[in-house]
Amino acid sequence: MNKLKKLLSLLLVLVLVLGCTLTSKQEASAKTKKLFTSLMQKSNPYYNDRVKDGMAVAYKVKLKSKTIIIHGSLSSFDGSETTNIGVYTYKLSSGVKYIARGGEMPDEEFSKKNFKKYLKKVKDSSLGLVLEFKKSKVSKVIISS
């Protein structure tokens, strides 16, 4: 049963990454990059398994006035690299967009205040959190199913 749960968790992450890749409208270039993590609290019974399996998880996300702080690990969007568990701070661009993305529905853009509320609701959902960068600053923060 435990192996089945691990397999299902892995499949969920792969589906999230694939879904984000297929629905993304941005072309990759030398000045853009994407990082991915899965929103999951340390108290979640799958948290330790995901960490042990080398998957990216974020157990705390803070949006400040000019930065986003991720507590956990992040993965390159192609899955080739995953950071160690730690605290990662990234600068937000002045026109950063906060987006919810999922299924066949169009992207839903949020104000920063409303995105913080949404983030609080889904903090243990295993949904994907994607950071898109332009010129070394976060240009989009996306929660994706």
Side-chain angles (χ1 to χ4, degrees), residues 5 10-11 18-19 23 27-28 32 34-35 37 41 43 47 52 55 62 69-70 81 87 93 95-96 119 130 133:
K5 288 179 183 177
L10 179 61
L11 286 173
L18 181 61
T23 60
E27 293 181 19
T32 62
K34 294 180 188 179
L35 294 176
T37 191
Q41 300 294 286
S43 59
Y47 175 85
K52 197 181 332 177
M55 292 192 253
K62 288 184 181 180
I69 304 165
I70 310 289
E81 293 181 43
V87 179
S93 68
V96 64
L119 187 58
V130 179
F133 294 81

Side-chain angles (χ1 to χ4, degrees), residues 35 37 39 58 60-71 74 86-93 96-99 112 115-116 119 129-133 136-143:
L35 294 176
T37 191
L39 298 169
K60 188 176 188 180
V61 179
K62 288 184 181 180
L63 274 171
K64 300 288 188 175
S65 62
K66 296 183 181 185
T67 60
I68 184 168
I69 304 165
I70 310 289
H71 295 251
L74 295 129
V87 179
Y88 299 91
T89 302
Y90 301 99
K91 291 184 179 181
L92 299 172
S93 68
V96 64
K97 294 185 180 187
Y98 302 97
I99 298 168
K112 187 175 198 171
F115 191 79
K116 282 182 177 184
L119 187 58
L129 178 70
V130 179
L131 304 179
E132 289 189 12
F133 294 81
S136 301
K137 290 187 178 181
V138 177
S139 59
K140 291 182 184 176
V141 181
I142 302 164
I143 293 177

Side-chain angles (χ1 to χ4, degrees), residues 49-61:
D49 291 336
R50 292 230 177 142
V51 171
K52 197 181 332 177
D53 291 340
M55 292 192 253
V57 292
Y59 57 87
K60 188 176 188 180
V61 179

Side-chain angles (χ1 to χ4, degrees), residues 1-53:
M1 185 67 169
N2 196 20
K3 286 184 179 184
L4 178 61
K5 288 179 183 177
K6 284 182 184 180
L7 180 62
L8 289 174
S9 294
L10 179 61
L11 286 173
L12 176 62
V13 170
L14 291 173
V15 167
L16 288 171
V17 170
L18 181 61
C20 290
T21 302
L22 294 176
T23 60
S24 176
K25 298 173 187 138
Q26 181 178 357
E27 293 181 19
S29 73
K31 294 184 181 179
T32 62
K33 76 173 185 175
K34 294 180 188 179
L35 294 176
F36 171 84
T37 191
S38 183
L39 298 169
M40 183 174 286
Q41 300 294 286
K42 284 183 172 183
S43 59
N44 188 305
Y46 301 110
Y47 175 85
N48 288 326
D49 291 336
R50 292 230 177 142
V51 171
K52 197 181 332 177
D53 291 340

